[in-house]
Amino acid sequence: MTDMNTGSDMSVNPRYPTDLKQCQLTHLHSFAKGMTVYKQGETAKEFYYVNNGLIGLYHTLDNGKESLVRLYQKGDYFGYRTLFGDDGYHCNAKVLVEAEIIRIKPKDIDTFFVENPQMSKFLLQSLANELREAEQRLAKSAYLRTLDRVIDSIYFLTENFPYYNWTHREIAEYAGCETET
């Protein structure tokens, strides 16, 4: 298994959850498609690792409209942004492909970061990468026509997640437009 962000072999990667100190690991099996891992606004004291499956991060607006913000697959961590100061999750995490995940609950966040310096660095690098990707998507939404954003989204989604059958709605949400468009 290869980490998409670093290209390193995850089988010898010290960032695999079982190598972490000062935390409780809970293996969560058989999350069926459509199940919610956590909800936007819930208090967050843990984060997750995807052993198998596909997780979608959805932001819900006050009017109920959802946007597909980010995707996580085998070998990815998610839900960790809240460890750096937020009290609650900023999005809903939903299962798109049946998943097996590991919940990682640090006993004390400061001790967790000190005892796991490689993980701390990895999470900060991941935050920076996700911020860069979000800024690039935002810039594209400003200068690309809707059709071009949809084409760009279809290419990205099918290239990076070819095992998933994307719906028109999911593509539109990821492209930042209405399904009718």
Side-chain angles (χ1 to χ4, degrees), residues 10-25:
M10 294 293 286
S11 61
V12 294
N13 192 329
R15 292 184 299 263
Y16 190 75
T18 55
D19 298 332
L20 297 173
K21 302 171 188 166
Q22 295 296 317
C23 63
Q24 176 185 350
L25 302 179

Side-chain angles (χ1 to χ4, degrees), residues 163-178:
Y163 51 87
Y164 185 71
N165 189 20
W166 296 98
T167 66
H168 293 283
R169 179 182 174 186
E170 290 163 337
I171 293 166
E173 288 172 349
Y174 194 79
C177 62
E178 299 293 329

Side-chain angles (χ1 to χ4, degrees), residues 131-144 149:
L131 178 59
R132 183 186 70 250
E133 291 166 8
E135 289 170 343
Q136 289 170 346
R137 282 182 62 200
L138 182 61
K140 284 181 182 180
S141 72
Y143 70 80
L144 286 181
R149 287 198 325 265

Side-chain angles (χ1 to χ4, degrees), residues 113-130:
F113 285 138
V114 168
E115 292 291 322
N116 299 286
Q118 288 180 321
M119 175 55 86
S120 300
K121 181 179 179 183
F122 174 78
L123 292 177
L124 286 172
Q125 288 172 333
S126 296
L127 277 172
N129 290 339
E130 287 184 357

Side-chain angles (χ1 to χ4, degrees), residues 49-101:
Y49 177 82
V50 183
N51 254 349
N52 287 301
L54 182 64
I55 309 295
L57 214 59
Y58 290 85
H59 182 76
T60 305
L61 299 173
D62 291 338
N63 65 4
K65 184 178 178 342
E66 284 188 323
S67 275
L68 179 56
V69 177
R70 192 164 284 113
L71 296 154
Y72 298 99
Q73 62 186 336
K74 183 177 183 174
D76 289 337
Y77 288 89
F78 68 100
Y80 53 83
R81 189 168 323 165
T82 56
L83 300 176
F84 295 97
D86 292 340
D87 289 333
Y89 292 113
H90 70 289
C91 289
N92 300 305
K94 296 181 184 178
V95 177
L96 298 176
V97 171
E98 185 175 343
E100 179 182 314
I101 60 177

Side-chain angles (χ1 to χ4, degrees), residues 39 41-46 87-89:
K39 293 182 180 179
E42 281 184 348
T43 301
K45 300 293 181 203
E46 64 257 344
D87 289 333
Y89 292 113

